[in-house]
Amino acid sequence: MVLSLLRHRVRSPLRYLPAILVGGALLFFYRRDAETAGYYAGSVWFVLMFLPGVASQTANSLLGSRRFKEAYAMSWVAWILHPYGGTRDQPRLVQALSLLHQNRSESAVEILESLCHKKTSSGRAAFVILTRLRGDWQRFVDSIHRSPNAGQQLADPLISNIYLQALGELGQTETLVQNFAHGMLKRKRGTSAVMLNISRMKVAAFCGRTDLVATMLDGTLGHFDSATRRFWIATAMQAAGRIDDARSIFEELQSSRDRQIAVSSSQRIVLPVRVASHLSPETSKVMDEIEEALEHESNFALISVPATTTHVATWGLAAVLVLVFLAEMLNGNVGRIVWESTTLSSDEKLQLMIENTMDNANLIDMGALVLPVSSNADRYWRVFRAAFLHFGLLHLFMNVAGLIFFGRRLEEAWGAITTCLAYLLCAILSIYLLTVIPLGATPDEPYVLVGASGGVMGLIGCLLGYLGWGQLVRRNRLVASEFNLLFLIIIFQMVFDQMTPNVSSECHLLGMLIGVACGFLVGMTRHQLAAWRRDSEQKLRPVSS
C-alpha cells in the first residue's frame, strides 16, 4: 500500500493511515503472540481496506444498473470504514445521480457543482456528468488543450474517457482513434478493465461499428442499464449512416427517466454525430485490434468479465463442503449429546459442535488422512474423504470463499464439468502425493491431514496456467494484469503458509502446480481445436472462379 501511494505521489498523511494501522497491528500482536499476529493484522486490513473497497466497487456497479438506494448504502459503508481517500464525497455523488434520475435537475446540478472542483474520484465524476449535461464539449476540449498539465489530466482514466467522447461528439473521429491508440492502448497502468472497455465501446460507436458496441454491451459492459445500452447502440447506428433507425431510438429515449440519457438523446437529434463513411487505414487497423482483443479476452480475461452463468459446479461443490462440515459437527458422541440434551443452551451446543470439528479423533473417524500412511487401514479411501473435511469454521470459510470466487471465474471459461473435474483432481491428487512425499511424520508424531485447500489452490493454478497460455498465444494487457494478480496471490499464500502453523504448504503447492498443468493443458487443447476448426472451415469454403 505504501509503495503504491508513493508511486502515485500521494502526499496526504491520511491516505497512509490504513497502512500504518495494519503495520502497527502486525507489530503489536506479533509481540504478544507471533503465531497469530498475521490473523489479527489481516482482520484489520480486511475491515479498513478490503471491505470498503468492495463496498465502493459494488456502489459503482449498482449505479450502472440505476439501483440508487443500494448504491447510496454501499457508498456510506465505504466512507464509514475508509474515510481517508475521497470516499466521503461518494454518497453525495450518488445522491446527485438519483436526483437526476428523478428529473430534479436543479438540486442535482447544485450538488455536482459543489463536488466538481474537488481532486477526488467523485469530484472528477461530477465534472464529467456536468459536461455531459451541458453538452459543452468544445469548451472541455479547449480546457484540456490549454492546460499546462494536460498530460497529467489525461493520465486519469475518467478524464481521458470523457475527452475521447468529446472528440467524437465534435466529429473528430480520426483524432479520437489516434488519442485512444496512443493513450488507452499504450498506458500500462491506471486503467481498469471497465474503463478500458467503455473507451473501446465509445471509439467503436463513433466509428459506426454497431457490431463491436453490441458485443461489449452484451459482454464486459453487460451491467449497463437498458437506456444506456440503447443510447450507444443508436449512436453507433447514427455514425454508420442509419439515421432513421437511430432517430427513432433517440426520440424514445428523450422521455427516459435518466436525465443524462434524455438530454444527450435530445442533443443527438439536433446535432447528429458525424457519419464515419470513409475510415483511414490506421483507424481500420485500430478497429481490427479492438475486435481481436475482445475475442481473446472473451476466452482468457476471466476475472474482469461479469458473471453470465449459474455456476452449477462451484455452488454444488461449496454445498457439499458445507454439508460435510455439518456432518463433522454432529458426528460421534457430540451429535448424540446435542440431540438428546435438555440442559445445554443453544450457544453451548453450538460451541460443542464447533469444537468437535477441531477434534483429531473425530476427524480421523470421519475419514481424515493420517501420516505416515502405515497408520491408515484404508489409505486410498481416506485420501478422497480428507479432501472434503475441515479443521474448524475458519478453515471452512476460507476454502469456501476461495472456491466460490475462483471457481465461478473458471467455470465461466471452462464450463461446469471441466471445472468440477479439475477441482477434484487438484484436491485429491495433492493429498495423495503427500502419502509418497516424506514430510517427517512418524507413528509417534503423526500428521492429521484434512481440507479442500489443495483444490482451491488448484483452481488458482488452473486460472494461472490458462491465462499464461493465453499470453503465449497473444499478448494482452487485461490478461497480463490478471496473470500478475494471480501470481501475486500465490506468492502471498506461500509466504503465509510458511509463517502459519498447522498449514500444509506442501499440499497447497502441489495443488497449485497440478492446477497450472491443467490450465496449460486445457488452453493448449482448446487452441489446437480452434485452429483445426478454422482450417476445416477454410477447406470446406467454396472457391469462386
Side-chain angles (χ1 to χ4, degrees):
M1 288 190 288
V2 171
L3 289 175
S4 177
L5 292 169
L6 290 174
R7 187 174 68 247
H8 290 91
R9 300 180 181 179
V10 175
R11 298 179 180 178
S12 172
L14 283 177
R15 296 290 297 277
Y16 292 87
L17 186 58
I20 294 172
L21 291 175
V22 173
L26 183 63
L27 292 175
F28 175 78
F29 289 108
Y30 185 83
R31 296 184 64 181
R32 298 184 62 181
D33 185 2
E35 291 187 350
T36 60
Y39 290 108
Y40 290 107
S43 299
V44 175
W45 169 84
F46 184 81
V47 172
L48 295 182
M49 298 299 298
F50 183 79
L51 280 183
V54 170
S56 182
Q57 290 183 5
T58 303
N60 291 332
S61 298
L62 291 169
L63 284 176
S65 55
R66 302 296 187 261
R67 296 166 61 183
F68 296 104
K69 290 183 179 180
E70 296 91 334
Y72 189 72
M74 287 293 102
S75 62
W76 267 95
V77 171
W79 177 36
I80 291 172
L81 296 178
H82 189 94
Y84 317 101
T87 53
R88 179 179 183 180
D89 299 325
Q90 192 174 21
R92 298 184 64 206
L93 178 66
V94 175
Q95 183 183 9
L97 291 171
S98 178
L99 291 171
L100 282 175
H101 192 67
Q102 301 168 28
N103 286 323
R104 297 169 59 185
S105 301
E106 293 183 1
S107 301
V109 169
E110 184 179 348
I111 296 175
L112 293 171
E113 287 179 340
S114 68
L115 292 174
C116 67
H117 301 293
K118 295 191 175 184
K119 296 181 179 180
T120 63
S121 59
S122 297
R124 292 189 293 271
F127 175 67
V128 166
I129 295 167
L130 285 174
T131 300
R132 289 174 181 161
L133 286 173
R134 293 164 178 168
D136 198 355
W137 303 107
Q138 188 62 59
R139 181 181 177 185
F140 175 78
V141 171
D142 291 341
S143 68
I144 294 293
H145 291 169
R146 289 195 301 264
S147 174
N149 58 345
Q152 184 177 351
Q153 289 189 41
L154 292 177
D156 185 304
L158 186 61
I159 299 299
S160 177
N161 184 278
I162 196 66
Y163 177 70
L164 293 176
Q165 182 176 346
L167 294 174
E169 301 284 355
L170 296 172
Q172 302 177 28
T173 309
E174 300 293 341
T175 306
L176 159 67
V177 176
Q178 291 173 9
N179 277 270
F180 172 76
H182 293 92
M184 283 285 187
L185 291 182
K186 301 297 182 184
R187 192 179 300 133
K188 300 297 183 183
R189 295 175 180 172
T191 305
S192 67
V194 173
M195 290 304 297
L196 175 60
N197 283 310
I198 290 175
S199 296
R200 286 171 171 171
M201 186 265 294
K202 290 181 178 180
V203 171
F206 287 114
C207 289
R209 290 295 302 271
T210 311
D211 57 333
L212 290 182
V213 174
T215 297
M216 283 181 274
L217 290 174
D218 289 336
T220 55
L221 301 178
H223 61 281
F224 280 5
D225 65 289
S226 175
T228 302
R229 292 158 64 92
R230 296 182 66 207
F231 174 82
W232 284 107
I233 289 289
T235 299
M237 290 179 176
Q238 205 172 59
R242 298 166 57 184
I243 306 299
D244 293 337
D245 293 338
R247 185 181 182 87
S248 64
I249 296 176
F250 287 133
E251 287 176 349
E252 292 179 17
L253 291 176
Q254 279 183 300
S255 58
S256 172
R257 293 184 61 188
D258 188 328
R259 187 61 181 166
Q260 293 184 76
I261 294 295
V263 170
S264 298
S265 298
S266 299
Q267 294 170 354
R268 284 279 189 274
I269 294 173
V270 177
L271 295 172
V273 300
R274 173 189 170 190
V275 176
S277 55
H278 299 289
L279 298 178
S280 67
E282 292 77 11
T283 298
S284 299
K285 181 181 178 181
V286 172
M287 290 294 101
D288 291 340
E289 290 177 355
I290 292 176
E291 187 171 8
E292 292 172 0
L294 289 173
E295 182 180 359
H296 187 71
E297 289 164 10
S298 67
N299 293 321
F300 292 101
L302 308 177
I303 297 177
S304 55
V305 176
T308 57
T309 66
T310 54
H311 310 107
V312 176
T314 301
W315 290 108
L317 289 169
V320 169
L321 295 182
V322 172
L323 290 174
V324 171
F325 189 78
L326 292 176
E328 286 182 51
M329 296 172 67
L330 295 170
N331 188 56
N333 291 329
V334 170
R336 181 180 55 79
I337 293 172
V338 167
W339 289 116
E340 297 178 359
S341 175
T342 57
T343 58
L344 293 175
S345 66
S346 298
D347 290 341
E348 290 172 333
K349 289 181 179 180
L350 180 61
Q351 182 65 30
L352 194 62
M353 288 188 291
I354 295 297
E355 291 176 354
N356 198 36
T357 65
M358 296 183 283
D359 179 59
N360 283 341
N362 179 52
L363 292 173
I364 293 172
D365 182 56
M366 289 288 294
L369 179 67
V370 182
L371 299 179
V373 292
S374 57
S375 305
N376 299 270
D378 49 353
R379 179 178 71 177
Y380 297 108
W381 184 236
R382 287 182 176 274
V383 166
F384 175 79
R385 287 189 291 182
F388 294 90
L389 300 173
H390 287 88
F391 186 83
L393 191 60
L394 179 61
H395 190 200
L396 173 73
F397 172 78
M398 294 176 67
N399 280 337
V400 170
L403 169 61
I404 292 173
F405 182 82
F406 295 107
R408 289 187 305 162
R409 301 300 178 178
L410 194 63
E411 193 171 347
E412 286 285 326
W414 290 10
I417 295 176
T418 307
T419 300
C420 186
L421 291 175
Y423 172 83
L424 293 175
L425 177 66
C426 295
I428 296 171
L429 186 56
S430 61
I431 292 179
Y432 170 76
L433 291 176
L434 293 180
T435 65
V436 297
I437 297 175
L439 297 179
T442 64
D444 295 330
E445 296 183 4
Y447 293 169
V448 179
L449 192 63
V450 294
S453 305
V456 175
M457 287 300 296
L459 294 177
I460 300 176
C462 287
L463 290 168
L464 189 72
Y466 192 63
L467 291 172
W469 177 260
Q471 277 297 94
L472 289 176
V473 173
R474 175 188 171 88
R475 296 288 180 181
N476 182 279
R477 191 198 333 174
L478 293 186
V479 177
S481 65
E482 293 186 3
F483 179 90
N484 294 336
L485 174 62
L486 289 171
F487 188 77
L488 186 64
I489 290 174
I490 288 175
I491 294 298
F492 275 118
Q493 181 67 51
M494 293 298 120
V495 173
F496 175 82
D497 291 347
Q498 295 301 320
M499 299 179 66
T500 308
N502 300 324
V503 171
S504 177
S505 59
E506 297 85 1
C507 185
H508 289 177
L509 180 61
L510 289 169
M512 186 269 295
L513 292 176
I514 296 167
V516 170
C518 290
F520 247 82
L521 181 62
V522 172
M524 182 172 58
T525 303
R526 289 191 168 193
H527 181 69
Q528 293 297 328
L529 289 175
W532 175 80
R533 193 178 298 113
R534 285 194 299 267
D535 292 340
S536 300
E537 291 174 355
Q538 290 177 357
K539 290 178 181 179
L540 294 173
R541 190 175 300 160
V543 180
S544 59
S545 59

